[in-house]
Amino acid sequence: MVHGCLPRPLRYSAVTNTSRTASGRPRVFSGIQPSGSSHLGNYLGALKNWHLLQDDHDAVYCIVDLHALTLPKEPGEVATGTLEMARMMLASGIDPERSIFFVQSHVPAHAELGWLMQTVTAYGELNRMTQFKDKSSRDSGFVSAALFTYPALQAADILLYDTDVVPVGDDQRQHLEISRDIAIRFNSRYGDTFVVPEHHIPAAGARVMDLQHPENKMSKSVDSPLGTIDMRDTPKDIEKKFKKAVTDNDGEVRFDPQEKPGISNLLDILAATTNGDPAELANNYEQYGPLKADTAAAVLAVVEPIQEKLAAISDDDLADALAIGAGKAAEKAEEVLDRAYDAVGLMRRRS
Ligand code: TRP
């Protein structure tokens, strides 16, 4: 019987009951797709912020390789991308001693809870997801059922860690909303089980746009080599790409993303790399050339130390860090998965 009318009071506060983590600090969870090489948008929009959040949160960071399979992949492609992304995360300052850092498929509880989450997700809810509509219409090839149920797996990722806060970009707003709705629905049907997470959108640099098409987000999947700064680009290439960045003809340096997307993107990137404010930085410039040069220099100052660290991380260290992370993640995830199975009331195997 389904009883879903009145939500019962949450056993955990929906906002920030920090007594759940051993440290007493709020739990942060975020996931990133193993898209192979990483670009400046990934770094400024996600990894840089993840690095900073470790100081006052119990952070859990996951490379979501199972989510990557929702679009067709060649055998082996996801593994290569996963290692590349893991290396980039370590080089960006994610510290496996302080945070839990792991690969989604290494912790089977994700797939298991993902299934349970599908049972409390409505077809109609999934049908409203703009990301599904975009991705399924973008290419006329194979559209998997997993692409459709993707948000249920994402909800599982988050709920498995009693997460308080999920730092992800604005493009994930709908997925966060549905994760919250799923948690609330499960709690009201089966009794309080999950913490209802909050969305946190990082401020500057949250959305780095393509340097050639500043109306589009910088993205690896769009073919725009001059518009995308790869974190492995040479200094020469980075300078060239900023020099050629698309601007406009009115000649005034002003922060105005609507009217001046190219210039505003440069100011945003400069602000994110120097911890400044884009509108204030605009006052320092009268011409586009110096803004481009300074932005390129600020990006180089961030990228070069990361490139040095990338080169210093051995495959062995990487595999060790991920194995330790998966162990820590599984311990927490299995506890929450058990809680969910008990709440649903499946007959449990005797141990
Ligand atoms: N959907 C996210 C993206 O495309 C990736 C993701 C999967 C995620 N699971 C998550 C992000 C859980 C935050 C929390 O960027």
Side-chain angles (χ1 to χ4, degrees):
M1 185 182 71
V2 170
H3 25 229
C5 315
L6 280 180
R8 290 177 227 163
L10 288 175
R11 186 160 57 208
Y12 302 112
S13 133
V15 186
T16 320
N17 178 345
T18 54
S19 60
R20 288 184 309 278
T21 57
S23 64
R25 299 180 304 181
R27 159 85 16 97
V28 150
F29 180 96
S30 203
I32 193 161
Q33 294 240 9
S35 55
S37 74
S38 183
H39 58 74
L40 186 66
N42 291 141
Y43 176 74
L44 293 178
L47 300 183
K48 180 184 174 215
N49 186 42
W50 294 9
H51 160 63
L52 297 174
L53 282 166
Q54 298 176 119
D55 292 340
D56 41 17
H57 293 78
D58 250 40
V60 182
Y61 296 129
C62 178
I63 303 175
V64 292
D65 58 346
L66 297 175
H67 276 101
L69 295 175
T70 55
L71 294 176
K73 293 287 182 307
E74 294 300 325
E77 189 183 340
V78 178
T80 310
T82 299
L83 283 172
E84 186 79 15
M85 181 54 76
R87 195 182 294 280
M88 185 58 68
M89 289 167 79
L90 288 186
S92 304
I94 289 181
D95 175 0
E97 304 268 316
R98 284 195 290 163
S99 300
I100 300 180
F101 158 68
F102 73 107
V103 177
Q104 189 182 30
S105 69
H106 297 180
V107 178
H110 287 254
E112 283 186 65
L113 189 67
W115 180 260
L116 272 194
M117 294 299 93
Q118 285 191 51
T119 68
V120 288
T121 306
Y123 174 83
E125 266 174 324
L126 294 174
N127 226 359
R128 288 196 291 274
M129 294 291 119
T130 53
Q131 190 154 345
F132 173 72
K133 289 184 205 164
D134 290 349
K135 287 191 179 174
S136 58
S137 62
R138 203 178 293 161
D139 76 282
S140 50
F142 182 76
V143 177
S144 69
L147 186 63
F148 188 66
T149 60
Y150 179 119
L153 180 59
Q154 180 161 350
D157 298 340
I158 296 166
L159 301 180
L160 276 173
Y161 298 91
D162 285 340
T163 301
D164 298 297
V165 187
V166 185
V168 275
D170 191 39
D171 62 320
Q172 292 296 310
R173 189 184 291 275
Q174 230 187 355
H175 285 164
L176 250 292
E177 269 314 305
I178 197 174
S179 296
R180 288 168 52 85
D181 290 345
I182 291 171
I184 292 168
R185 182 173 308 126
F186 188 103
N187 286 348
S188 76
R189 271 196 198 170
Y190 297 119
D192 303 324
T193 306
F194 296 123
V195 175
V196 181
E198 301 285 328
H199 191 186
H200 164 88
I201 300 175
R207 242 169 110 76
V208 174
M209 312 306 273
D210 187 293
L211 297 179
Q212 289 297 312
H213 306 280
E215 61 291 346
N216 299 334
K217 205 172 145 177
M218 190 179 283
S219 159
K220 214 213 133 225
S221 50
V222 178
D223 189 25
S224 175
L226 265 184
T228 308
I229 302 286
D230 191 291
M231 293 297 285
R232 291 178 178 276
D233 276 349
T234 62
K236 244 181 148 169
D237 278 341
I238 292 179
E239 279 160 8
K240 182 175 96 188
K241 289 178 186 181
F242 278 102
K243 219 173 250 166
K244 297 199 167 176
V246 164
T247 54
D248 54 51
N249 291 326
D250 89 353
E252 188 195 347
V253 179
R254 171 164 53 87
F255 185 66
D256 181 349
Q258 286 301 321
E259 296 296 317
K260 297 172 70 68
I263 291 295
S264 302
N265 188 35
L266 293 173
L267 287 165
D268 252 334
I269 294 173
L270 182 63
T273 43
T274 58
N275 300 318
D277 176 79
E280 278 172 26
L281 285 166
N283 298 328
N284 300 342
Y285 297 94
E286 297 196 333
Q287 288 176 319
Y288 293 175
L291 170 63
K292 286 181 167 183
D294 284 2
T295 307
V299 166
L300 273 178
V302 167
V303 167
E304 280 180 324
I306 293 180
Q307 292 187 344
E308 275 165 32
K309 287 193 198 125
L310 281 175
I313 300 167
S314 76
D315 288 354
D316 239 17
D317 288 349
L318 199 55
D320 277 349
L322 288 172
I324 292 169
K328 291 196 237 173
E331 202 178 310
K332 177 67 190 171
E334 280 164 19
E335 173 203 318
V336 177
L337 179 65
D338 267 345
R339 202 197 289 158
Y341 277 144
D342 282 343
V344 169
L346 294 186
M347 190 232 152
R348 309 304 308 283
R349 173 181 166 179
R350 177 176 291 169
S351 53

